[in-house]
Structure formats: structure tokens, C-alpha cells
Amino acid sequence: MDIVIDFTPLQEFFSLPPSQMLFIFFIRFGWLIFAFLFLAASRILWLKYVQGKWFSGVKFIFLAIDIPRGNIQSPRAVENMFSYLAGAHSTQNFFEKWFLGEGQLSFSLEIISSEGYTQFLIRTPEQFRNLVESAIYSQYPDAEIVEVDDYCEGFPNKFPNEEYDVWGTEFIQGSHYMYPIKTYKEFEHQFGPDETVFRDPMAELMELCSSLRKGEHLWYQIILIPTGFDWTDDGLSEINKILGEAPKTSFLNKIIDSVIDLISDLSEMIFSLWGDVESKTKEFKKLSMMELTPKQKKKIEGIEIKSSKLGFLCKIRVVYMAKKEVMNKAKVANGFVGYIKQFAALDLNNLKPDLKMTGTKVSYFNKGPRLIRRKNNIVNNYMNRDDWGGRIPFLLNTEELATLWHFPIEATANAPLIQKTPAKKYKPPANLVSEDASSNIDNLKEELLLGDFSKQKLKNNSENNSDNQNSYKQEQEKIIEDDTKGSPPANLPLG
């Protein structure tokens, strides 16, 4: 039995004019492009739907943190806190992700100033409350943590509004996320061989927060999404790119390149426009360390340092909401951008306002509706602590996060209106002599010198001393019990 392959349809197809050939190809196979786009969009919408149902059952709480008075802890303590919070990272299998909708829960680090009163807060899933409290108490044993209501309640979330106006934006990185920003270690100054002075970058933000007037509110938020360790491979890719090594090609890119080459060959067979073209392959020559410039060496060093610490996927948002008659964008908006610009390492990375997509500033055409849409988006994304809305999250390690969000050092940051814990009260030592007891002892000494002494008097004075000491201890224990009862900070704006 002979097998005969008929190539007549192909010959007829290639004999057609080029325009008619492309039209027939699009009619018969063009639907595949739309089918692929439809499946990709359906995949994203389904994932968002099932995750929305699962996340709706997760309860979040707000923890207000009162920093210790006279804080001398450096941001290294907050860096250790974030390393502990990385324990909230979880992984999901195919069924849990695509059918149950389970995903990675996030935290929200926040600093708010309500009419000049400043408060540090952390929004956390209720199941991670003990994790957050343990992380804080391990570094700040004298801190006070109180569960409070969402301070955003009572503020408008739809604009334009008759009473309030708003300015806000997200912050994005200027370079690839594997390059670090300037961290708190670069704010240390050496004065002499034995003295190191730390200029706290948080001082500028605390000064700005304290300057807000009645009717002004500034909200600063960092969304934290715990992640794994796969991101460090991107650092190796960036280093290889600097060294001039050939980039690794993924399997998907190889398929795409093959399809493009096939289309190019077919078009050349049909049109024969270019004739014989000499194919050139790009040669990659790896640079040695001696051939690198100082800037290239610093980039490689920065990538390696950043890759050595735990990382989180992050979103940074800021919202300034104020009554229209007192709103001062020039002071607050420019002041906050100035605070963020402290962390710019121009030869590595920096943070900048996202004016293209999320910032409440528009140019050119249709400015009014676009500005209103951006205001509503930034406010609602902030209030919902949305890790989907806005820009794609970028990666910061624990050192960078501790630089951007930490408790100010009181010696360098003047923040008189920031909520702080009072001085810690401890029980007096058992052998401490009270003022009354000291007076009785002086009388006893005088009687001994005058010779007017008896065993009965000594016994009575000893009993009085013991009674006075017991009474003093009871009073102090009562004071301690009253002071340690947790209550919301008086200056925290509750819903």
C-alpha cells in the first residue's frame, strides 16, 4: 500500500498574492490569538475571584504601638523584628491556590499624624497577633501594644468632597529592585576613633508630622508581603549582566524565538526582499574584576549585600487628607517627598513618586476626570490595604525596611507629640528604707546617745519600721497595677 501526500493545497496557497495569503491565514488561524488572550484573562479573573472569597473570611486587627520613652535602640532592632515577621510566609499547592483561593497574608506598617499627634501602627491578620507582639516585645520590652479601631473610618473615600481634599501617591523604585537604596548604616558618622553618631533620618518625618494643624491628616503605609528565597536568583542574573555574560534563556523565550525565526524565514521565502543576509550572533565576553569600573564594582557589592538578608514584597503609599481651608500641599507633599529622597543612592537605587499611574497629578487632556479617578483609587487602595491595586509590588530587604519604618531615636528626633509609654515603674527592693522609717531610726540613734534606751522601745520602733515598709510596698504595688492597665492612646483618632 503506497502512501501519497498531496501538497496541492500548499502549492495553491503559496501561489496566491501575499495580501490574500495573509488574509486567509488570519481567517483560519487568527482566532488562536484571541483564544489565548481570553484564556489568560479568564485565568487572572478566576484567581482574583476565589482569592477574594477566601480573603473576605480573614479578620484583620490594628495594633497601636507606644514607643518607650527615651528610646536609644537603633533601627537594627526593627530589622530584627522584620526578620521574625518573615515567619508568616506560607506556600500553597495547586488545589489550595486555584480552587480554595488561599494566598499569602500581608501586614501593613503605618505611621499616621492626626492634627500633629503621631502614632505607629501595624495592621495584621488576627492569627498573627502573637507573632507581631512577640517580635516587638523581644526588641522593646517596655513598649505598650493596644488594639484599636481603624483610624480611616469617618473619612471620605469618594471625591470630590465638599469638606476634604486629598493628595496621595505610591512610591516606586528607580532601578531594578535588586539594587539597594541608602540604608540607616550610611547615616552613621564617625566622630573621633571611639565615637559614632547616628543621624536619624526619621527626624525629618517626625518634624513634618508634628507641624500639622487642626484638620490635617498624614497617613504613611508600607504593605509587607512575606516571600521566599527565589528572588536572590535575580541578583545573580543582574551580576552576570554587569560582567557581560550571556543571559540565560528560559524555555518559553526559546519557543518564542523559534516561532519568530520561523515567521522570518517564511516571510523571506514569500517576499524575498533582503536577498542573502549574513546572520550575526552577538558575542559575550565576560569582564574580569580588574576591568570593572568603580561604579560596576559598587553595584555588584550592593546586590550581594541585599541578597544576603531576608526580603519582602512591598508597596509604599502616602495619603495627605485635609480640610480645604487648611490644606497645604506645598508643605506636606513636598516635605514627605524630601523625606523619601534621603534614601536615594543615585548610583544604585532610589524611591520616587509614581506620577504616571497612581499619583494625584495629571497632565495634558481630560485632566479633571482622570484626577478624580486617581484620588479615589489611591484613597480606597490605602483604606483597604490593597496589595493588588496600584503598582506591582517590589522587593525590599529587612535592612531597607528598617530604614524606612522604625521608631525614632529620641536623642536625635524631636517629636514632642508622638505617643510614648511613661517611665516604667518597678517594685522597690525589700530592704529599702522609707522616709518615715528613716526618721524613726534617727530618733533611735538619738535615744541611744542620750542613754534613754530600753528593749521595749527598740522593739516598738522595729515594729513601726516594719509596718511602714509594708504600707509603702502596698501603695507602690497599687500604683503599678493601675499604670499597667492597657488603654488606647489618648491622641489616637478612633473611628
Side-chain angles (χ1 to χ4, degrees), residues 345-393:
L346 298 183
D347 52 352
L348 293 174
N349 211 342
N350 61 87
L351 296 169
K352 60 182 182 180
D354 174 31
L355 301 181
K356 292 184 178 180
M357 291 182 60
T358 61
T360 54
K361 181 180 179 180
V362 294
S363 303
Y364 307 117
F365 56 90
N366 202 24
K367 295 171 63 174
R370 289 169 56 211
L371 180 60
I372 292 174
R373 184 171 62 252
R374 287 195 181 188
K375 287 183 177 181
N376 290 325
N377 287 343
I378 190 68
V379 170
N380 283 279
N381 288 340
Y382 186 102
M383 290 183 173
N384 297 329
R385 280 76 182 180
D386 194 346
D387 53 11
W388 280 71
R391 285 284 194 163
I392 298 174

Coordinates of all heavy atoms in Angstrom, one line a residue, residues 345-393:
A345 N 20.3 56.5 46.6 CA 21.7 56.2 46.2 C 21.7 56.3 44.7 O 21.3 55.3 44.0 CB 22.1 54.9 46.7
L346 N 22.1 57.4 44.1 CA 21.9 57.6 42.7 C 22.7 56.6 41.8 O 22.3 56.4 40.6 CB 22.3 59.1 42.3 CG 21.5 60.1 43.1 CD1 21.9 61.5 42.6 CD2 20.0 59.9 42.8
D347 N 23.7 56.1 42.4 CA 24.5 55.1 41.6 C 24.0 53.7 41.8 O 24.5 52.7 41.2 CB 26.0 55.1 41.9 CG 26.2 55.0 43.4 OD1 25.2 55.1 44.2 OD2 27.4 54.9 43.8
L348 N 22.9 53.5 42.6 CA 22.3 52.2 42.9 C 20.8 52.2 42.6 O 20.3 51.8 41.6 CB 22.7 51.7 44.3 CG 24.1 51.4 44.6 CD1 24.3 51.0 46.0 CD2 24.6 50.2 43.7
N349 N 20.1 52.8 43.6 CA 18.6 52.8 43.5 C 18.0 53.9 44.3 O 18.7 54.5 45.2 CB 18.1 51.4 44.0 CG 16.8 51.1 43.3 OD1 16.1 51.9 42.6 ND2 16.4 49.8 43.3
N350 N 16.8 54.2 44.1 CA 16.1 55.3 44.8 C 14.6 55.0 44.7 O 14.1 54.2 44.0 CB 16.4 56.6 44.2 CG 16.0 56.8 42.7 OD1 14.9 57.1 42.4 ND2 16.9 56.4 41.8
L351 N 13.9 55.8 45.5 CA 12.4 55.7 45.5 C 11.9 57.1 45.0 O 12.4 58.1 45.4 CB 11.9 55.5 46.9 CG 12.2 54.1 47.6 CD1 11.9 54.1 49.0 CD2 11.5 53.0 46.8
K352 N 10.9 57.0 44.2 CA 10.3 58.2 43.6 C 8.8 58.1 43.5 O 8.2 57.0 43.4 CB 10.9 58.5 42.2 CG 10.6 57.4 41.2 CD 11.3 57.6 39.9 CE 11.0 56.5 38.9 NZ 11.7 56.8 37.6
P353 N 8.1 59.3 43.5 CA 6.6 59.2 43.4 C 6.2 58.7 42.0 O 6.8 59.0 41.0 CB 6.2 60.7 43.6 CG 7.4 61.4 44.2 CD 8.6 60.6 43.7
D354 N 5.2 57.9 42.0 CA 4.7 57.3 40.8 C 3.6 58.2 40.2 O 2.4 58.1 40.5 CB 4.0 55.9 41.1 CG 3.4 55.3 39.8 OD1 3.8 55.6 38.7 OD2 2.4 54.6 40.0
L355 N 4.1 59.2 39.4 CA 3.2 60.2 38.8 C 2.6 59.7 37.5 O 1.6 60.3 37.0 CB 4.0 61.5 38.5 CG 4.7 62.1 39.7 CD1 5.4 63.4 39.3 CD2 3.7 62.4 40.8
K356 N 3.0 58.6 37.0 CA 2.4 58.1 35.7 C 1.1 57.3 35.9 O 0.2 57.4 35.1 CB 3.4 57.1 35.0 CG 4.6 57.8 34.5 CD 5.5 56.9 33.7 CE 6.7 57.5 33.2 NZ 7.6 56.6 32.4
M357 N 0.9 56.7 37.1 CA -0.3 55.8 37.2 C -1.1 56.1 38.5 O -2.3 56.1 38.5 CB 0.1 54.3 37.3 CG 0.6 53.8 35.9 SD 1.0 52.0 36.0 CE -0.5 51.3 36.5
T358 N -0.4 56.3 39.7 CA -1.1 56.4 40.9 C -1.1 57.8 41.6 O -2.0 58.1 42.4 CB -0.6 55.4 41.9 OG1 0.8 55.7 42.2 CG2 -0.7 54.0 41.4
G359 N -0.2 58.7 41.2 CA -0.1 60.0 41.9 C -1.2 60.9 41.5 O -1.8 60.8 40.3
T360 N -1.7 61.7 42.4 CA -2.8 62.6 42.1 C -2.3 63.9 41.4 O -2.5 65.0 41.9 CB -3.5 63.0 43.5 OG1 -2.5 63.5 44.4 CG2 -4.1 61.8 44.1
K361 N -1.7 63.7 40.2 CA -1.3 64.7 39.4 C -1.4 64.2 37.9 O -0.9 63.2 37.6 CB 0.1 65.2 39.7 CG 0.6 66.3 38.8 CD 2.0 66.7 39.2 CE 2.5 67.9 38.3 NZ 3.9 68.3 38.6
V362 N -2.1 65.0 37.1 CA -2.3 64.6 35.7 C -1.9 65.8 34.8 O -1.8 67.0 35.2 CB -3.7 64.2 35.4 CG1 -4.1 62.9 36.2 CG2 -4.7 65.3 35.8
S363 N -1.6 65.5 33.5 CA -1.2 66.5 32.6 C -2.0 66.2 31.3 O -2.6 65.2 31.1 CB 0.3 66.4 32.3 OG 1.0 66.6 33.5
Y364 N -1.9 67.2 30.4 CA -2.4 67.1 29.0 C -3.9 67.1 29.0 O -4.6 67.9 29.6 CB -1.8 65.9 28.3 CG -0.3 65.9 28.3 CD1 0.4 64.9 28.9 CD2 0.4 66.9 27.7 CE1 1.8 64.9 29.0 CE2 1.8 66.9 27.8 CZ 2.5 65.9 28.4 OH 3.9 65.9 28.4
F365 N -4.6 66.1 28.4 CA -6.0 66.1 28.1 C -6.8 65.4 29.2 O -6.4 64.6 30.0 CB -6.3 65.4 26.8 CG -5.8 64.0 26.7 CD1 -6.6 62.9 27.1 CD2 -4.4 63.7 26.4 CE1 -6.1 61.6 27.1 CE2 -4.0 62.4 26.3 CZ -4.8 61.3 26.7
N366 N -8.1 65.8 29.2 CA -9.1 65.2 30.1 C -8.6 65.2 31.5 O -8.8 64.1 32.2 CB -9.4 63.8 29.6 CG -10.8 63.3 30.1 OD1 -11.7 64.1 30.4 ND2 -11.0 62.0 30.2
K367 N -8.1 66.3 32.0 CA -7.4 66.3 33.3 C -8.4 66.1 34.5 O -8.1 65.4 35.4 CB -6.7 67.6 33.5 CG -5.5 67.7 32.5 CD -4.9 69.1 32.5 CE -4.3 69.5 33.8 NZ -3.6 70.8 33.8
G368 N -9.6 66.7 34.4 CA -10.5 66.6 35.6 C -10.9 65.2 35.9 O -10.7 64.8 37.1
P369 N -11.6 64.5 35.0 CA -12.0 63.1 35.4 C -10.8 62.2 35.7 O -11.0 61.4 36.6 CB -12.7 62.7 34.1 CG -13.1 63.9 33.4 CD -12.1 64.9 33.7
R370 N -9.7 62.4 35.1 CA -8.6 61.5 35.4 C -8.0 61.8 36.8 O -7.7 60.8 37.5 CB -7.4 61.7 34.4 CG -7.8 61.2 33.0 CD -6.8 61.6 31.9 NE -5.4 61.3 32.3 CZ -4.3 62.0 32.0 NH1 -4.5 63.1 31.3 NH2 -3.1 61.6 32.4
L371 N -8.0 63.0 37.2 CA -7.5 63.4 38.5 C -8.5 62.8 39.6 O -8.0 62.3 40.6 CB -7.4 64.9 38.7 CG -6.9 65.4 40.0 CD1 -5.5 64.9 40.3 CD2 -6.9 67.0 40.0
I372 N -9.8 63.0 39.4 CA -10.8 62.4 40.3 C -10.6 60.9 40.5 O -10.7 60.4 41.6 CB -12.2 62.8 39.9 CG1 -12.4 64.3 40.0 CG2 -13.2 62.1 40.7 CD1 -13.7 64.8 39.5
R373 N -10.4 60.2 39.3 CA -10.3 58.8 39.4 C -9.0 58.4 40.2 O -9.1 57.4 41.0 CB -10.2 58.2 38.0 CG -10.1 56.7 37.9 CD -10.3 56.2 36.5 NE -9.2 56.6 35.6 CZ -9.3 57.5 34.7 NH1 -10.5 58.1 34.4 NH2 -8.3 57.8 33.9
R374 N -7.9 59.1 40.0 CA -6.7 58.8 40.7 C -6.9 59.0 42.2 O -6.4 58.3 43.1 CB -5.5 59.6 40.2 CG -5.1 59.1 38.8 CD -3.7 59.7 38.5 NE -3.2 59.3 37.2 CZ -2.0 59.6 36.8 NH1 -1.1 60.3 37.6 NH2 -1.6 59.2 35.6
K375 N -7.6 60.1 42.6 CA -7.8 60.4 44.0 C -8.6 59.3 44.7 O -8.3 58.8 45.8 CB -8.5 61.7 44.2 CG -7.6 62.9 43.9 CD -8.4 64.2 44.2 CE -7.5 65.5 44.0 NZ -8.2 66.7 44.2
N376 N -9.7 58.9 44.0 CA -10.5 57.8 44.5 C -9.7 56.5 44.6 O -9.8 55.7 45.6 CB -11.7 57.6 43.7 CG -12.7 58.7 43.8 OD1 -12.8 59.3 44.9 ND2 -13.4 59.1 42.7
N377 N -8.9 56.2 43.6 CA -8.1 54.9 43.6 C -7.1 54.9 44.8 O -7.0 53.9 45.5 CB -7.4 54.7 42.3 CG -8.4 54.4 41.2 OD1 -9.5 53.9 41.4 ND2 -7.9 54.5 40.0
I378 N -6.3 56.0 45.0 CA -5.3 56.0 46.0 C -5.9 55.9 47.4 O -5.4 55.2 48.3 CB -4.3 57.2 45.8 CG1 -3.1 57.0 46.7 CG2 -5.0 58.5 46.1 CD1 -2.2 55.9 46.3
V379 N -7.0 56.6 47.6 CA -7.6 56.6 48.9 C -8.2 55.2 49.2 O -8.0 54.7 50.3 CB -8.7 57.7 49.0 CG1 -9.5 57.5 50.3 CG2 -8.0 59.1 49.0
N380 N -8.9 54.6 48.3 CA -9.5 53.3 48.5 C -8.5 52.2 48.6 O -8.6 51.3 49.5 CB -10.5 53.0 47.4 CG -11.9 53.8 47.6 OD1 -12.7 53.4 48.4 ND2 -12.0 54.9 46.9
N381 N -7.5 52.3 47.8 CA -6.4 51.3 48.0 C -5.7 51.4 49.3 O -5.3 50.4 49.9 CB -5.4 51.4 46.8 CG -5.9 51.0 45.5 OD1 -6.9 50.2 45.4 ND2 -5.3 51.4 44.4
Y382 N -5.5 52.6 49.8 CA -4.9 52.8 51.1 C -5.9 52.2 52.2 O -5.4 51.5 53.1 CB -4.6 54.3 51.4 CG -3.9 54.5 52.7 CD1 -2.5 54.7 52.7 CD2 -4.5 54.5 53.9 CE1 -1.8 54.9 53.9 CE2 -3.8 54.6 55.1 CZ -2.5 54.9 55.1 OH -1.8 55.1 56.2
M383 N -7.1 52.6 52.2 CA -8.0 52.2 53.2 C -8.2 50.7 53.3 O -8.4 50.1 54.3 CB -9.4 52.9 53.1 CG -9.4 54.4 53.3 SD -11.0 55.2 53.2 CE -10.7 56.8 53.8
N384 N -8.2 50.1 52.1 CA -8.4 48.6 52.0 C -7.1 47.9 52.2 O -7.1 46.6 52.3 CB -9.0 48.2 50.7 CG -10.4 48.8 50.4 OD1 -11.1 49.0 51.4 ND2 -10.7 49.1 49.2
R385 N -6.0 48.6 52.3 CA -4.6 48.0 52.5 C -4.5 46.9 51.3 O -4.1 45.8 51.5 CB -4.4 47.3 53.8 CG -4.1 48.3 54.9 CD -5.3 49.1 55.4 NE -4.9 50.1 56.4 CZ -5.8 50.9 57.0 NH1 -7.0 50.9 56.7 NH2 -5.4 51.7 57.9
D386 N -4.8 47.4 50.1 CA -4.9 46.5 49.0 C -3.5 46.2 48.4 O -2.7 47.1 48.1 CB -5.7 47.2 47.9 CG -6.1 46.2 46.8 OD1 -5.5 45.1 46.7 OD2 -7.0 46.6 46.0
D387 N -3.1 44.9 48.4 CA -1.8 44.6 47.8 C -1.9 44.2 46.3 O -0.9 43.8 45.7 CB -1.1 43.4 48.6 CG -2.0 42.2 48.8 OD1 -3.1 42.2 48.1 OD2 -1.7 41.4 49.6
W388 N -3.1 44.3 45.8 CA -3.3 44.1 44.3 C -3.4 45.4 43.6 O -2.8 45.6 42.5 CB -4.7 43.4 44.1 CG -4.6 41.9 44.3 CD1 -4.5 41.3 45.5 CD2 -4.7 40.9 43.3 NE1 -4.5 39.9 45.3 CE2 -4.6 39.6 44.0 CE3 -4.8 40.9 41.9 CZ2 -4.7 38.4 43.3 CZ3 -4.9 39.6 41.3 CH2 -4.8 38.4 42.0
G389 N -4.1 46.4 44.1 CA -4.3 47.7 43.4 C -3.1 48.5 43.3 O -2.1 48.4 44.1
G390 N -3.0 49.3 42.2 CA -1.9 50.1 42.0 C -0.7 49.4 41.3 O -1.0 48.5 40.5
R391 N 0.5 49.8 41.7 CA 1.6 49.3 41.0 C 2.0 47.9 41.5 O 1.5 47.4 42.6 CB 2.8 50.2 41.3 CG 2.8 51.5 40.5 CD 3.3 51.2 39.1 NE 3.6 52.4 38.4 CZ 4.3 52.5 37.3 NH1 4.8 51.4 36.8 NH2 4.6 53.7 36.7
I392 N 2.8 47.2 40.7 CA 3.2 45.8 41.1 C 4.2 45.9 42.3 O 5.0 46.8 42.3 CB 3.9 45.1 39.9 CG1 2.9 45.0 38.7 CG2 4.5 43.8 40.3 CD1 3.6 44.4 37.5
P393 N 4.0 45.1 43.3 CA 4.9 45.2 44.5 C 6.4 44.9 44.1 O 6.7 44.2 43.1 CB 4.4 44.0 45.4 CG 3.0 43.8 45.0 CD 3.0 44.1 43.5

